[in-house]
Amino acid sequence: MEAFQLLYHIFPCVAFGFMAANEAISQAAQAKGSLHITDLGMKHKLQCPSLIRTLASRPEGPPTLLITTLTSNVHLLELEAYMKSLIEDASYLTRYSNGVPHNIRVSYTMSFNSRESQEKGNHYTSTVMHLHKYVKERKGSLEAIKKLSPARLTVVEQDANHNGLFFHGQFLEALHCYSAIFYSLEASLPRHSPQRMKIVRLYFAKEIWNIIAYEGSDGTERDEQVDPW
């Protein structure tokens, strides 16, 4: 996770994806007094802080905010601590409108069983670099999201074809894709810098290994281009 957060601050394409998703949600949620955001793949811990700051600075005042996330038991305690820190940070964001203070309020749940999710027009779903891991069950995953009836669904994924049927095609696609990424990193980080080595070894190496060496349910890095989505 540290490697991805480092990549986020160095590689503009990653940061732009999070920024675009937040902007889409904030525009769709204008004038809404309460929002329910389902954040799939919150383990990155990068989207919500900036989104909360954006919502807190709205001219009409910040909304009441409910954030839902899905997680496994392995990451449960870590995510609960993170969500509580978001609530504490949000409590300091106060904006005055006509002399009246408005405080943004954040609560969270770990399941979809919330009455607020049933209120039409205030539910937004965001998935950043996460849904491709379930591409083999895409129909079921998208049907589950559809049942939530979100006012807006934001999907940020890598535009690559890592879900081919044959090893040769997957290998060539990975070679071309990651060669371009590493070439882009040259502009920010020297090839042998400690930061770059950490990003490559702890993040990209795992992705590449999964793409070319794993099949079946173990092959989770299955990015697809925009048309199949």
Side-chain angles (χ1 to χ4, degrees), residues 115-218:
R115 290 182 180 178
E116 295 189 45
S117 66
Q118 304 300 321
E119 186 177 336
K120 291 185 178 180
N122 80 334
H123 187 199
Y124 305 85
T125 300
S126 177
T127 168
V128 179
M129 300 176 71
H130 176 76
L131 202 57
H132 69 274
K133 296 180 181 295
Y134 304 96
V135 70
K136 290 184 173 61
E137 301 85 20
R138 176 169 50 202
K139 184 176 180 180
S141 301
L142 294 180
E143 283 295 327
I145 294 174
K146 184 178 180 180
K147 289 179 181 179
L148 297 174
S149 300
R152 178 158 296 185
L153 168 64
T154 61
V155 178
V156 178
E157 289 289 349
Q158 186 173 222
D159 188 17
N161 184 16
H162 296 150
N163 195 34
L165 296 176
F166 303 103
F167 171 81
H168 183 258
Q170 288 186 196
F171 177 83
L172 289 179
E173 180 67 23
L175 177 63
H176 296 154
C177 176
Y178 288 97
S179 293
I181 291 175
F182 294 154
Y183 181 78
S184 298
L185 282 175
E186 295 282 350
S188 302
L189 294 173
R191 183 166 298 184
H192 299 294
S193 71
Q195 289 179 316
R196 175 165 175 165
M197 295 301 291
K198 179 178 290 187
I199 291 172
V200 171
R201 289 177 177 174
L202 299 182
Y203 184 72
F204 286 127
K206 292 181 179 180
E207 283 192 349
I208 296 170
W209 181 256
N210 190 276
I211 290 169
I212 64 176
Y214 285 79
E215 293 294 340
S217 60
D218 293 327

